[in-house]
Amino acid sequence: MWTYEKKLQYPVKIKTPNPKYAQIIISQMGGPDGELAASTRYLSQRFSMPYQEVIGILTDVGTEELAHVEMISAMLYQLTRNLSPEEIMRSGFDKYFVDHTVGTYPVAAAGVPFDAKYIGVKGDVLADIHEDLAAEQKARVTYDNLLRLIDDPDVRDPLRFLRQREVVHYQRFGDALRVAQDRMDSKNFYAFNPAYDKPQHKK
């Protein structure tokens, strides 16, 4: 399924470590609207999706989100490399450091560990695609918020790239919704699978 190219999707070259920035950017690793949740969501949803074109979109976007996990991890590493104990204490990074040193551990900015409840998989065409549309907008807002708080151009550059990809993904899921609606019962979008119209069990 994958051909892995050993380079980041977009370069990350942060010259100045900043653990305060790392503590907020980490939400795009393990937060409710982060890249880990997105990749897992889309790559799981595709198995119950009945339309090949939509499966293709879910696969494309889900694998790209894994590349974004890699970019965020690179940012976190570069922002926390070579910190002294004094810098760790002064920045408030000490609580994370005690449990994870400078390893990349998926948590939200508030310190809440990654949770499977962030992964919306319903097995229903409309529910899943609308989940995906909303997820991309929420991720875009998270990047907007990060860009409001961060002034280092080396950090802003990859964040701006990632924000733009959320916009593109939203557009791709808009295409997916149109494909699904064209394939579904035009009079009733909610009657897409007659196999589930009647109870299957016998008394």
Side-chain angles (χ1 to χ4, degrees):
M1 176 180 174
W2 285 287
T3 300
Y4 176 60
E5 189 173 0
K6 294 184 179 181
K7 67 176 185 179
L8 295 178
Q9 185 183 11
Y10 187 86
V12 175
K13 298 179 180 178
I14 300 170
K15 293 185 285 293
T16 306
N18 189 321
K20 281 188 174 294
Y21 287 167
Q23 290 174 82
I24 56 176
I25 290 172
I26 202 166
S27 243
Q28 282 302 80
M29 163 65 73
D33 306 311
E35 307 291 359
L36 181 59
S39 62
T40 309
R41 179 188 307 115
Y42 306 146
L43 294 175
S44 298
Q45 286 177 354
R46 67 196 187 97
F47 288 99
S48 58
M49 186 60 62
Y51 310 121
Q52 286 300 318
E53 299 95 327
V54 181
I55 292 172
I57 291 171
L58 288 166
T59 304
D60 289 346
V61 177
T63 52
E64 184 179 348
E65 301 288 16
L66 289 174
H68 295 174
V69 170
E70 188 175 36
M71 282 184 62
I72 293 292
S73 297
M75 295 180 74
L76 295 172
Y77 168 74
Q78 292 181 25
L79 286 166
T80 58
R81 68 183 184 276
N82 301 324
L83 294 175
S84 68
E86 292 75 21
E87 289 172 317
I88 291 169
M89 289 296 294
R90 187 168 58 248
S91 66
F93 190 65
D94 51 322
K95 296 178 182 64
Y96 180 94
F97 182 84
V98 166
D99 289 332
H100 311 294
T101 319
V102 291
T104 302
Y105 180 76
V107 296
V112 180
F114 180 79
D115 196 303
K117 68 185 176 187
Y118 303 155
I119 305 167
V121 181
K122 195 67 175 175
D124 176 275
V125 174
L126 288 180
D128 281 349
I129 295 176
H130 280 285
E131 170 80 23
D132 302 342
L133 287 162
E136 293 298 326
Q137 287 299 324
K138 289 187 285 185
R140 188 264 308 163
V141 173
T142 304
Y143 281 118
D144 286 344
N145 291 339
L146 290 171
L147 288 165
R148 291 181 178 111
L149 298 173
I150 292 171
D151 58 9
D152 184 339
D154 290 344
V155 182
R156 290 176 61 84
D157 184 46
L159 289 177
R160 288 171 64 87
F161 170 83
L162 290 165
R163 179 198 182 278
Q164 184 57 33
R165 294 311 298 168
E166 306 297 350
V167 175
V168 172
H169 293 171
Y170 179 79
Q171 294 167 341
R172 294 292 310 277
F173 287 127
D175 295 337
L177 183 61
R178 285 186 285 277
V179 168
Q181 289 175 335
D182 286 346
R183 296 292 188 87
M184 294 162 77
D185 184 337
S186 62
K187 294 181 181 179
N188 180 4
F189 286 153
Y190 301 98
F192 76 95
N193 193 337
Y196 294 109
D197 282 352
K198 297 178 181 179
Q200 301 299 306
H201 62 276
K202 295 181 180 180
K203 293 183 179 179

